[in-house]
Amino acid sequence: MAASGGYNYRNGTQRSSLKVDRPLSVNSNPKSSSVKSKPLSASGGVRRSSTGSIGASPVAGAKDDAGVPGRVRVAVRLRPRNSEESIADADFADCVELQPELKRLKLRKNNWDSDTFEFDEVLTEFASQKRVYEVVAKPVVESVLDGYNGTVMAYGQTGTGKTYTLGCLGEEDTAARGIMVRAMEDILADISLETDSVSVSYLQLYMETIQDLLDPANDNISIMEDPKTGDVSLPGATIIEIRDQQSFVELLRLGEAHRFAANTKLNTESSRSHAILMVNVKRHVKGRDPTLSNENGSHMVKTLKAPIVRKGKLVVVDLAGSERIDKSGSEGHTLEEAKSINLSLSALGKCINALAENSAHVPVRDSKLTRLLRDSFGGTARTSLIITIGPSPRHRGETASTIMFGQRAMKVENMLKLKEEFDYKSLSRRLDIQLDKLIAEHERQQKAFKDEIERITLEAQNQISETERTYADALEKERVKYQKDYMESIKKLEEQLMMNQRNYGSEKITNGPKDNSTDVTSNKENLSALEEVVELKKMLQKETLLRKAAEEEINNLKNQISQWKRSEAAGNSEILKLRNMLEDETNQKEKLEEEIAILQSQLMQISFQADETRKQLDLNEPGKILGGLDSLMEQVRHSQLKDSGNEEKASIAKLFEQVGLQKILSLLEAEDADVRIHAVKVVANLAAEESNQEKIVQAGGLTSLLMLLKSSEDETIHRVAAGAIANLAMNETNQELIMAQGGISLLSMTAANAEDAQTLRMIAGAIANLCGNVVIDCYHLGITLTIDKIAHHSDKLQTKLRGEGGIKALLGMVRSGHPDVLAQVARGIANFAKCESRASTQGTKTGKSLLIEDGALPWIVQNANNEASAIRRHIELALCHLAQHEVNAKDMIIGGALWELVRISRDCSREDIRSLAQRTLTSSPAFLAELRRLRINY
């Protein structure tokens, strides 16, 4: 908290710390130092090198190596004198003396005696904000980036500068920025916005009640502890994802505006609550990607390793200042606040004493503050504590108490633990994509293989046919040619023979016997004829040889044809072999599809187990069903709306992009119940984002969700479907569609048959949205509508709700008795009453309230002073709105609502409701007459 006098710091000197790959295990417990004790050893290096760390000595490097990384590191910071102290204590010396080079502090007892204490770091009044951050918080921030939990906490008397040290925004002077702003700058500079994420929650612990500084209406957040790991979580807190430094500063400014503060004698603006900033960092560690290899024609998964995700949580705690009542001058409500602050700080001191003394019992459950800081002291987080003191001798007792608190805290050791887990969702997405690629590649190769076989077969058949035709034609031509030559040669020989015979016979008859000379001549002629015959015979033999040669050629051609036929047979056998290989590939494809089915079933089982675990932890507002198919994702998703080009969105958004909305909606009608459950969860998560709602309705998602309420008997489907409808009912157009399709009747029927409190909570939230969110959305979003249009829509919606049993369904769900269900019932009644009140004021409604006619007034009066603030606040609003219409006054007086209105006008903690009740009572003649009759002055 800011001191009365302003700070004026100089930039401190920088020191380098030892660079270590990761924190070591916890060693021995260091003792707190006094003037007679040995100096403390302090180290605490992390992976990165920084410009300073707690305990870093400028002269002795060995001292850095001998410390205990898990021990709580404590630094002391002195505030300069403010204007009041400069005047009042002008004649007195400071009660403390700092020796920063020795890391010592002397606390004066009197003018001649003092006590000496050693700390990990001693910061003078001239130390700059940058120096404070580097020696106190930066090592913790670096540990968080490495996957460890870390805590930075400020403790001290009121007005000593805790809030200035931690939460100063530095808007006018950037050098004045506090630890919160500087820590987020380092975190955003180190992470990758494409793969990593940073989300924050900002809370305050006020009067033993945890309240959300980012959503003031969320004023009673419960603490949950994991029975196995002991981790503490706040499932009801608002979580905002951070993408840039400016949005973080705006969140801090919004939270500080909602924090309780008061003026005391010690500080003009004293924080009356403990502020807690939680920063969750999720980082992906690069590893081997899954690969597929081919061995003997079969695909086998050789390496399958999920990406590693490291999750670190930084907790920055700005404790409210301890104070003495006689010095602070607290009285009335401020006195009660001071008592609550001192009790929680006392409980924290008891826990630290028990841890410092190694006590068997640590009373962590004595206060919500100690429960929240369970991991910071004696847990697994790396913790740095900065204690702030003032120089005034008037507050020596408080200064001594603060110093002793820091000394005891230095004895506490934590066991640092790395937060790592495997990102199976990312692995499953990569496997699905890889399987799709493999299947597509396999089908492409198979088709190419079939086409190649057909092409080779066709070419072989064409070539064989062409060869057969060619040789058949050549053989036929040769045969015809040789046969023709042969016949011509025979014919010539026969003609020549006949001619010779005729010539020889005629000569013999004509000439008769001749003399010897004539015989000799005749013999010569005969010899010549015989020679011709011999020659003809030779020619005939030659022709015979040629014929044989032609026949041999024909045989050769036949042999070649046989060889071609054998080649064709070999080709057919090769084709058969290829077909066998194709069948083998088909069998391998079937096996691969079976493996894909097994992987998909395993993926569905993992998703189901994750959803079951998440269902136990899901305590968010109705209609906001957060799946995990991651984070996200996002609880608050403004970063996705702001920059659509960024990768690594929420896991549900990626599923939406990869699979497609129509395919997801088609799974709502699947025969497998588990598939339907997973599908409706995905649709519910998509419906949580306004940008997806119109697409879901246009694709028929609303009709499918209503059909699930009507046809399914599974209560899980009823619960998730009702949550999705509640999200869609936030839109005016969707409200008309839900009414037109009988959604109110279906929700009422489902509520009558449901037993599970969470299912009733979702149904009540959906009906509550239908009761009046159209008006709320118009004012919240800045939409300008005419009065007649708003009144007409509200009156139509209310008549439809009442006619189809919506009010009676709300009243029927109070049988559950669960606080969350009752809170949603109260919200629905408040919305309904608000719309009726507006319609009555505008003159569009004249009759008695439909809530009173349906018998809601007794339950409203009964719960007007309910212990749960969420129920009480909505019921008080409903009573005020009902009382604004004079026609309801008589029934409210008879039902006892008048007494509750009087109580609200006097005792309600919220000023706006209290003022509304006062105006309502003073403006109603019937109420004023009844109060006068009862002699109640108002």
Side-chain angles (χ1 to χ4, degrees):
M1 60 195 72
S4 299
Y7 281 12
N8 183 17
Y9 294 108
R10 297 179 300 174
N11 291 330
T13 58
Q14 296 183 348
R15 300 174 185 148
S16 60
S17 63
L18 185 62
K19 183 176 181 182
V20 184
D21 288 339
R22 68 171 57 185
L24 304 174
S25 60
V26 177
N27 295 326
S28 61
N29 185 6
K31 305 295 183 180
S32 63
S33 300
S34 64
V35 71
K36 296 181 179 180
S37 63
K38 296 181 179 179
L40 278 171
S41 297
S43 65
V46 290
R47 180 176 55 81
R48 304 167 185 77
S49 63
S50 63
T51 57
S53 62
I54 292 181
S57 174
V59 293
K63 185 175 181 179
D64 284 344
D65 299 331
V68 181
R71 177 175 64 80
V72 175
R73 306 293 171 180
V74 182
V76 60
R77 186 181 193 184
L78 178 65
R79 171 182 61 77
R81 287 193 177 192
N82 54 37
S83 57
E84 180 184 354
E85 292 170 347
S86 298
I87 297 173
D89 301 332
D91 297 332
F92 300 94
D94 292 346
C95 66
V96 294
E97 178 186 349
L98 304 183
Q99 296 178 335
E101 66 281 355
L102 300 177
K103 298 181 182 179
R104 289 179 180 175
L105 178 149
K106 288 186 177 181
L107 179 63
R108 300 181 188 275
K109 292 182 179 180
N110 44 48
N111 291 335
W112 57 87
D113 193 11
S114 62
D115 292 329
T116 303
F117 303 93
E118 290 192 2
F119 290 93
D120 293 301
E121 191 68 39
V122 175
L123 301 169
T124 67
E125 63 271 29
F126 303 109
S128 66
Q129 290 282 74
K130 179 181 179 182
R131 164 85 176 152
V132 173
Y133 169 73
E134 289 177 345
V135 302
V136 175
K138 190 167 185 177
V140 178
V141 173
E142 291 175 346
S143 296
V144 171
L145 290 170
D146 282 333
Y148 297 87
N149 288 345
T151 302
V152 178
M153 186 170 67
Y155 177 90
Q157 183 190 9
T158 295
T160 53
K162 299 184 295 301
T163 302
Y164 175 81
T165 300
L166 296 181
C168 184
L169 301 182
E171 295 176 312
E172 298 180 357
D173 182 8
T174 58
R177 290 170 299 166
I179 286 176
M180 292 181 182
V181 178
R182 294 177 183 271
M184 184 56 66
E185 287 179 349
D186 282 357
I187 290 173
L188 291 176
D190 194 80
I191 68 169
S192 172
L193 294 178
E194 296 179 353
T195 59
D196 306 333
S197 65
V198 180
S199 58
V200 302
S201 298
Y202 200 14
L203 315 162
Q204 71 174 351
L205 178 60
Y206 176 72
M207 301 286 284
E208 283 301 300
T209 302
I210 301 177
Q211 302 177 358
D212 198 333
L213 290 175
L214 303 181
D215 182 10
N218 191 9
D219 57 0
N220 191 12
I221 301 174
S222 59
I223 302 175
M224 294 193 65
E225 299 181 13
D226 192 327
K228 294 182 179 180
T229 62
D231 292 340
V232 177
S233 61
L234 302 171
T238 301
I239 301 176
I240 306 293
E241 184 170 349
I242 300 300
R243 308 289 292 182
D244 55 70
Q245 184 70 12
Q246 183 61 33
S247 62
F248 176 70
V249 174
E250 291 296 331
L251 287 179
L252 290 182
R253 184 183 296 110
L254 175 64
E256 286 300 321
H258 294 148
R259 190 175 176 187
F260 287 99
N263 185 11
T264 67
K265 293 181 179 180
L266 295 177
N267 195 358
T268 58
E269 191 177 351
S270 174
S271 299
R272 314 309 291 168
S273 65
H274 307 298
I276 302 148
L277 176 70
M278 294 184 177
V279 182
N280 292 282
V281 181
K282 181 179 179 182
R283 307 191 68 187
H284 285 73
V285 181
K286 293 183 179 180
R288 292 187 299 170
D289 292 331
T291 57
L292 296 176
S293 62
N294 189 300
E295 182 179 338
N296 298 327
S298 63
H299 296 274
M300 298 177 62
V301 178
K302 292 296 184 181
T303 303
L304 186 61
K305 184 176 181 182
I308 297 175
V309 177
R310 288 182 177 174
K311 295 182 178 179
K313 181 172 71 174
L314 173 64
V315 179
V316 183
V317 184
D318 180 11
L319 295 174
S322 60
E323 60 185 44
R324 292 186 179 179
I325 306 303
D326 56 343
K327 291 186 176 182
S328 63
S330 300
E331 58 184 11
H333 187 69
T334 307
L335 177 59
E336 296 301 321
E337 292 174 340
K339 290 180 180 178
S340 177
I341 292 170
N342 289 337
L343 283 175
S344 60
L345 293 177
S346 176
L348 177 61
K350 290 179 181 178
C351 290
I352 290 179
N353 287 341
L355 290 169
E357 296 171 2
N358 292 324
S359 175
H361 172 67
V362 180
V364 294
R365 293 192 171 272
D366 288 356
S367 170
K368 288 188 177 181
L369 176 62
T370 54
R371 291 180 64 190
L372 286 172
L373 298 178
R374 182 175 185 175
D375 191 46
S376 303
F377 292 97
T380 61
R382 179 170 186 172
T383 301
S384 289
L385 171 66
I386 179 168
I387 60 174
T388 57
I389 59 175
S392 176
R394 290 181 297 167
H395 306 306
R396 185 190 180 282
E398 288 81 355
T399 301
S401 176
T402 301
I403 291 173
M404 294 310 299
F405 180 91
Q407 290 288 292
R408 288 190 296 269
M410 291 178 67
K411 298 180 181 180
V412 179
E413 293 183 10
N414 295 342
M415 180 64 70
L416 305 187
K417 183 179 180 181
L418 185 64
K419 306 292 184 180
E420 282 187 350
E421 63 182 32
F422 292 104
D423 189 358
Y424 289 106
K425 299 183 187 67
S426 174
L427 175 62
S428 66
R429 288 194 296 271
R430 289 213 307 262
L431 285 176
D432 287 340
I433 295 172
Q434 198 162 12
L435 285 174
D436 291 340
K437 289 181 178 179
L438 287 174
I439 291 172
E441 179 65 19
H442 178 72
E443 292 176 350
R444 186 189 63 76
Q445 292 180 355
Q446 192 175 25
K447 185 177 182 303
F449 184 66
K450 288 181 180 179
D451 294 342
E452 185 66 18
I453 290 176
E454 292 177 358
R455 186 186 65 78
I456 293 174
T457 303
L458 184 61
E459 287 183 357
Q461 291 176 351
N462 294 335
Q463 192 172 6
I464 290 171
S465 299
E466 184 67 24
T467 303
E468 288 179 348
R469 286 194 299 271
T470 301
Y471 282 99
D473 293 342
L475 181 63
E476 182 65 22
K477 288 180 180 179
E478 290 293 331
R479 187 183 68 76
V480 171
K481 177 182 177 182
Y482 285 123
Q483 186 175 7
K484 183 177 180 182
D485 292 343
Y486 175 74
M487 295 302 295
E488 289 178 355
S489 298
I490 295 298
K491 186 176 181 181
K492 288 180 180 180
L493 288 175
E494 289 178 350
E495 291 176 353
Q496 186 70 30
L497 180 60
M498 291 176 65
M499 187 181 293
N500 291 336
Q501 289 177 353
R502 283 196 300 272
N503 292 332
Y504 181 74
S506 61
E507 288 179 359
K508 185 175 180 180
I509 294 171
T510 304
N511 297 326
K514 295 179 179 181
D515 50 11
N516 292 334
S517 60
T518 304
D519 293 337
V520 172
T521 303
S522 179
N523 288 335
K524 289 182 179 180
E525 292 177 354
N526 290 334
L527 289 174
S528 177
L530 290 173
E531 289 177 355
E532 290 181 1
V533 171
V534 172
E535 185 67 25
L536 289 172
K537 288 183 178 180
K538 290 181 179 179
M539 292 175 64
L540 181 60
Q541 292 176 353
K542 186 176 180 181
E543 291 294 334
T544 303
L545 294 175
L546 290 174
R547 180 180 177 181
K548 290 181 180 180
E551 290 178 350
E552 290 178 356
E553 184 68 22
I554 291 171
N555 291 332
N556 290 333
L557 292 174
K558 289 182 177 179
N559 292 333
Q560 291 181 7
I561 291 173
S562 299
Q563 291 178 358
W564 277 108
K565 289 182 177 180
R566 285 194 296 271
S567 299
E568 180 183 7
N572 291 334
S573 64
E574 183 67 23
I575 291 171
L576 181 60
K577 183 177 179 181
L578 292 175
R579 286 177 178 172
N580 293 333
M581 292 175 63
L582 180 61
E583 291 178 357
D584 293 339
E585 288 292 332
T586 304
N587 295 333
Q588 291 176 7
K589 177 185 176 182
E590 293 176 354
K591 292 180 180 179
L592 184 60
E593 290 175 348
E594 292 176 357
E595 293 177 0
I596 294 171
I598 293 173
L599 289 174
Q600 289 176 342
S601 64
Q602 293 176 353
L603 174 62
M604 182 177 295
Q605 182 178 1
I606 292 172
S607 176
F608 176 75
Q609 293 174 356
D611 288 336
E612 287 298 319
T613 303
R614 206 170 283 110
K615 181 177 68 174
Q616 299 174 4
L617 299 178
D618 183 13
L619 294 178
N620 290 326
E621 287 295 329
K624 296 293 182 181
I625 303 175
L626 299 179
L629 291 170
D630 264 313
S631 161
L632 238 244
M633 183 92 291
E634 212 260 337
Q635 302 93 353
V636 178
R637 308 170 186 264
H638 77 283
S639 59
Q640 298 181 7
L641 297 175
K642 180 177 178 182
D643 188 2
S644 59
N646 290 336
E647 299 180 357
E648 247 348 85
K649 295 182 179 179
S651 53
I652 294 297
K654 283 195 173 183
L655 181 65
F656 180 28
E657 295 174 0
Q658 296 174 1
V659 177
L661 181 59
Q662 290 292 345
K663 189 170 182 180
I664 294 174
L665 293 178
S666 66
L667 296 178
L668 295 176
E669 301 177 0
E671 296 181 358
D672 192 337
D674 291 336
V675 174
R676 290 200 304 274
I677 291 173
H678 285 289
V680 73
K681 287 181 179 180
V682 173
V683 175
N685 278 275
L686 292 174
E689 292 191 21
E690 185 178 356
S691 59
N692 296 331
Q693 292 178 359
E694 184 178 356
K695 299 177 183 177
I696 293 173
V697 173
Q698 290 178 353
L702 176 59
T703 304
S704 300
L705 291 171
L706 293 173
M707 287 300 297
L708 283 177
L709 287 181
K710 183 177 180 181
S711 60
S712 177
E713 298 180 357
D714 189 284
E715 190 151 358
T716 301
I717 292 180
H718 288 171
R719 179 172 64 254
V720 182
I725 294 172
N727 286 337
L728 296 176
M730 300 292 288
N731 181 276
E732 178 185 357
T733 304
N734 295 340
Q735 290 174 352
E736 300 288 348
L737 294 175
I738 292 171
M739 288 191 301
Q741 298 184 27
I744 301 171
S745 299
L746 289 173
L747 289 170
S748 302
M749 179 182 64
T750 306
N753 298 326
E755 296 295 336
D756 180 62
Q758 295 303 321
T759 303
L760 292 174
R761 180 171 73 97
M762 294 300 176
I763 298 172
I767 297 178
N769 290 345
L770 290 172
C771 283
N773 260 351
V774 59
V775 180
I776 295 173
D777 284 346
C778 290
Y779 283 96
H780 176 67
L781 297 176
I783 301 173
T784 303
L785 298 178
T786 64
I787 294 176
D788 292 339
K789 183 176 180 181
I790 295 175
H792 173 71
H793 179 84
S794 299
D795 187 55
K796 178 181 177 182
L797 179 61
Q798 289 178 327
T799 304
K800 188 78 171 177
L801 275 168
R802 197 262 182 117
E804 295 189 5
I807 297 175
K808 291 187 177 181
L810 281 176
L811 295 176
M813 282 186 280
V814 302
R815 71 182 187 277
S816 170
H818 195 280
D820 292 339
V821 178
L822 298 182
Q824 295 309 313
V825 172
R827 184 170 70 90
I829 291 175
N831 287 343
F832 198 95
K834 186 174 182 179
C835 291
E836 277 193 333
S837 173
R838 185 173 287 105
S840 299
T841 303
Q842 296 163 357
T844 59
K845 178 175 177 58
T846 57
K848 188 188 299 184
S849 170
L850 299 179
L851 290 172
I852 296 178
E853 290 183 357
D854 278 0
L857 185 59
W859 186 83
I860 294 174
V861 174
Q862 180 184 355
N863 289 272
N865 199 15
N866 195 292
E867 294 181 358
S869 61
I871 301 173
R872 184 178 65 255
R873 182 176 68 253
H874 291 305
I875 294 299
E876 290 173 346
L877 280 172
L879 278 173
C880 292
H881 289 306
L882 288 174
Q884 288 182 335
H885 193 31
E886 189 69 16
V887 74
N888 299 329
K890 182 178 179 181
D891 293 295
M892 296 184 70
I893 292 171
I894 296 172
L898 177 58
W899 298 105
E900 293 299 332
L901 282 171
V902 173
R903 180 192 60 78
I904 293 170
S905 67
R906 294 177 177 176
D907 300 333
C908 182
S909 60
R910 289 188 53 171
E911 184 178 356
D912 55 342
I913 300 177
R914 188 168 63 251
S915 300
L916 180 60
Q918 292 171 357
R919 291 196 305 270
T920 302
L921 287 173
T922 55
S923 62
S924 172
F927 288 150
L928 291 175
E930 180 67 14
L931 290 174
R932 284 195 297 269
R933 189 184 69 83
L934 298 174
R935 297 181 180 180
I936 299 175
N937 295 326
Y938 195 83

